[in-house]
Amino acid sequence: MADQEHSTQPQTNGTEQEQQKEPKQRNDQENDKEDEYTEDFIELVNLAVKFKEEGNAHYKQRNLQEAFNSYIEVIKINDHVKSKEELLNNVNKEDLNNLYDTVVAAANNISMVFIDVDEYQKAFNFAHFANGVKQNAKSFYLQGKILKECNQPERAILYFNKVLELQPSSKDAEKMIEECQELMEHEKLLRGMNLLRFQERQEDEMLQKAIEESKRVYDEEMKKRVQEEELKKKADEEQDLIRQHFLEEQKKKQEEEEKKRKEEEENAEEEDLEIELDDDDHHAEEKDDHEEIDDDEVSLTESEIALLEEEERVAKEQELEEEEQ
């Protein structure tokens, strides 16, 4: 019985010992795993630092493309770490801050590379990215500098003020703020001058339009006057033609009337001649008749003869008048 109890006791003790060993083994495994993660993370941090230093060396030699290629590797390492949630959960804050500092420095240096080649939008984006990783005075300073270069001094001052919040003794930020204020005053002056020029240009345009309108009215008036003169000239020519035609008709009519008058006169002369011839014949007959009168008849006095001749003359004139009528 005692042997049986003795035999069972070690079995109980062995089970308890195994149960006590299991948490210790798990802790050891977790510690080993954490150490492994830490070692992997430190290797990544060291690799990031190496790429950053390579980029700095290239930048000093003005090999901007090589500098960018090195700095961008640091950003890739940061993206890799961010994708490994388990890795992030098993590293200490100090090592993580070391990585973030390296990433911020690389991103800021990429921003400087883009500033050197005047690609300000990309430069601003990388400085903004660096501030997103960890707020820092250099990123704010670079953003303010970029905005100043892009002629946005008011926005730039906001970023330089953030630099002073993080580094109150920054002389560079204070100098930049002064320069931005000078730019704003200069821009204000330029805006005033531009406004004045704009107003002058508007006045010149209005004056030019007035001149053009006056010229247009003058041209239209001259054109109208020329047309009126042409119409008047044409009307005068037509009147001259009508007058000339009338005069020709009148002349023609007068010539016809003159011709007709001459013909009538000729006819009248011929008739007068015939009448005279008839009268001569008549007188001759009367003379013959008188010669046949006896000497015993009473002879006419001279006054009576004159009266008879007068009567004959008046009778002839009446006959001529009747013929002319």
Side-chain angles (χ1 to χ4, degrees):
M1 188 71 179
D3 292 339
Q4 188 174 1
E5 290 176 358
H6 179 74
S7 62
T8 56
Q9 185 67 34
Q11 293 178 357
T12 303
N13 293 335
T15 303
E16 289 177 356
Q17 290 177 357
E18 290 176 358
Q19 290 176 351
Q20 290 175 359
K21 287 180 179 179
E22 286 179 1
K24 184 178 180 180
Q25 289 175 351
R26 284 197 299 272
N27 289 333
D28 291 341
Q29 289 176 355
E30 289 176 357
N31 289 332
D32 291 341
K33 192 173 183 179
E34 184 176 345
D35 292 339
E36 182 180 351
Y37 282 135
T38 302
E39 290 176 0
D40 291 342
F41 187 79
I42 291 174
E43 288 180 3
L44 291 173
V45 172
N46 291 335
L47 184 60
V49 171
K50 178 185 175 183
F51 279 123
K52 185 197 76 169
E53 291 175 350
E54 286 180 358
N56 291 344
H58 288 307
Y59 186 82
K60 288 178 181 179
Q61 296 175 1
R62 305 307 295 168
N63 296 326
L64 299 182
Q65 183 61 54
E66 295 298 328
F68 172 80
N69 293 339
S70 297
Y71 291 139
I72 205 69
E73 292 298 326
V74 179
I75 307 301
K76 291 178 180 179
I77 290 172
N78 180 64
D79 292 341
H80 173 73
V81 171
K82 285 171 63 177
S83 67
K84 304 293 184 181
E85 183 177 354
E86 190 174 1
L87 179 63
L88 290 172
N89 293 334
N90 289 280
V91 296
N92 60 55
K93 290 184 178 181
E94 183 179 354
D95 292 334
L96 191 60
N97 282 331
N98 289 336
L99 176 63
Y100 287 160
D101 289 341
T102 304
V103 172
V104 167
N108 284 333
N109 290 343
I110 291 175
S111 177
M112 292 171 62
V113 169
F114 281 119
I115 289 174
D116 289 344
V117 294
D118 297 333
E119 294 192 32
Y120 295 115
Q121 185 60 58
K122 292 179 181 179
F124 189 90
N125 291 342
F126 272 98
H128 179 73
F129 168 79
N131 252 332
V133 175
K134 186 177 181 181
Q135 278 198 358
N136 63 98
K138 186 174 181 179
S139 295
F140 285 125
Y141 182 86
L142 290 173
Q143 287 176 290
K145 182 178 179 181
I146 292 165
L147 290 170
K148 176 177 173 288
E149 291 295 326
C150 293
N151 199 27
Q152 299 183 41
E154 291 184 16
R155 288 185 62 195
I157 288 175
L158 298 177
Y159 286 91
F160 291 131
N161 284 331
K162 288 184 178 293
V163 174
L164 293 175
E165 290 176 6
L166 298 174
Q167 294 181 355
S169 62
S170 175
K171 299 297 182 182
D172 291 336
E174 291 177 354
K175 182 179 179 181
M176 282 294 184
I177 290 174
E178 291 177 1
E179 291 180 2
C180 287
Q181 290 172 343
E182 289 177 0
L183 281 175
M184 290 169 63
E185 288 296 324
H186 183 64
E187 286 182 358
K188 185 178 179 181
L189 179 62
L190 284 178
R191 282 196 296 269
M193 292 176 64
N194 290 335
L195 179 61
L196 181 61
R197 289 173 183 171
F198 176 74
Q199 291 174 344
E200 290 176 351
R201 188 164 57 251
Q202 277 191 325
E203 291 176 357
D204 291 341
E205 289 175 356
M206 291 175 64
L207 179 60
Q208 185 64 29
K209 286 181 179 179
I211 293 172
E212 291 175 356
E213 180 64 17
S214 299
K215 186 176 181 300
R216 185 188 65 80
V217 172
Y218 174 78
D219 290 342
E220 289 182 355
E221 186 66 26
M222 290 301 296
K223 184 178 179 181
K224 184 179 178 181
R225 187 176 300 175
V226 169
Q227 290 176 346
E228 290 176 351
E229 289 178 355
E230 289 177 352
L231 291 174
K232 185 177 180 299
K233 183 179 178 181
K234 187 176 180 180
D236 291 342
E237 289 176 352
E238 290 178 354
Q239 286 293 110
D240 290 340
L241 288 174
I242 293 171
R243 190 180 296 108
Q244 185 178 356
H245 180 71
F246 175 77
L247 293 174
E248 289 176 353
E249 289 291 327
Q250 287 292 103
K251 184 178 179 181
K252 185 178 179 181
K253 186 176 179 181
Q254 289 177 357
E255 288 176 351
E256 290 178 352
E257 291 178 351
E258 183 67 19
K259 183 179 179 182
K260 183 178 178 181
R261 188 182 62 78
K262 287 182 178 180
E263 289 177 352
E264 290 176 351
E265 288 179 353
E266 290 176 356
N267 292 332
E269 288 178 357
E270 290 177 356
E271 290 177 357
D272 290 342
L273 184 56
E274 290 178 358
I275 292 171
E276 288 178 359
L277 291 174
D278 291 341
D279 290 340
D280 289 341
D281 292 340
H282 180 68
H283 287 305
E285 289 177 357
E286 288 182 351
K287 185 177 181 181
D288 291 339
D289 291 339
H290 285 297
E291 288 178 354
E292 291 178 355
I293 297 175
D294 295 337
D295 293 334
D296 296 335
E297 292 180 354
V298 179
S299 58
L300 297 173
T301 64
E302 290 180 1
S303 60
E304 289 176 341
I305 293 171
L307 180 61
L308 289 173
E309 288 177 354
E310 180 65 22
E311 290 177 355
E312 287 178 1
R313 188 182 64 78
V314 172
K316 286 180 181 181
E317 289 179 357
Q318 290 179 351
E319 288 177 0
L320 289 173
E321 289 178 359
E322 289 177 359
E323 287 176 358
E324 289 180 356
Q325 293 178 355

